[in-house]
Amino acid sequence: MADEMRPAPSPSFDLWRPDGPAARAAAAIMANAVASFNEALVPVLRGVRREARALCKRLDPKWRRARIRALKRSRRNVETLKREGRCR
């Protein structure tokens, strides 16, 4: 008898159910937003990783010595080429 006295919900009431079309549309919108955010974040994180590795290299004494040796070798090679008249 109590069910007969309760008014019937309007059709728009179904839109607000957790498994209704509005909830599915909101979930799809949120999934697209999260995917877009993650896609935009990947290049940023790649750049951060690249900069962190470069910083670690610059602070590493072994790598710095090797880099200095390589630069000196390159300068010597250029000087030799200039002396011989075969400039790059």
Side-chain angles (χ1 to χ4, degrees):
M1 184 107 187
D3 288 336
E4 294 172 6
M5 301 295 288
R6 187 177 307 161
S10 69
S12 64
F13 182 76
D14 288 336
L15 292 175
W16 298 103
R17 289 196 164 173
D19 59 342
R24 285 195 298 268
I29 290 170
M30 283 302 296
N32 285 342
V34 168
S36 298
F37 180 74
N38 287 341
E39 191 175 315
L41 198 61
V42 167
V44 173
L45 292 177
R46 192 178 300 130
V48 167
R49 188 178 63 190
R50 186 183 312 119
E51 291 298 323
R53 278 205 328 260
L55 178 65
C56 288
K57 274 186 172 181
R58 281 191 297 256
L59 294 177
D60 181 24
K62 185 176 176 183
W63 185 86
R64 288 171 71 187
R65 282 192 302 270
R67 176 82 175 140
I68 290 169
R69 275 196 315 270
L71 289 174
K72 286 180 180 177
R73 186 171 51 248
S74 175
R75 283 192 202 107
R76 280 194 313 267
N77 289 342
V78 169
E79 290 300 321
T80 303
L81 290 174
K82 281 182 182 177
R83 261 195 321 272
E84 295 174 358
R86 298 185 297 143
C87 294
R88 335 188 205 187

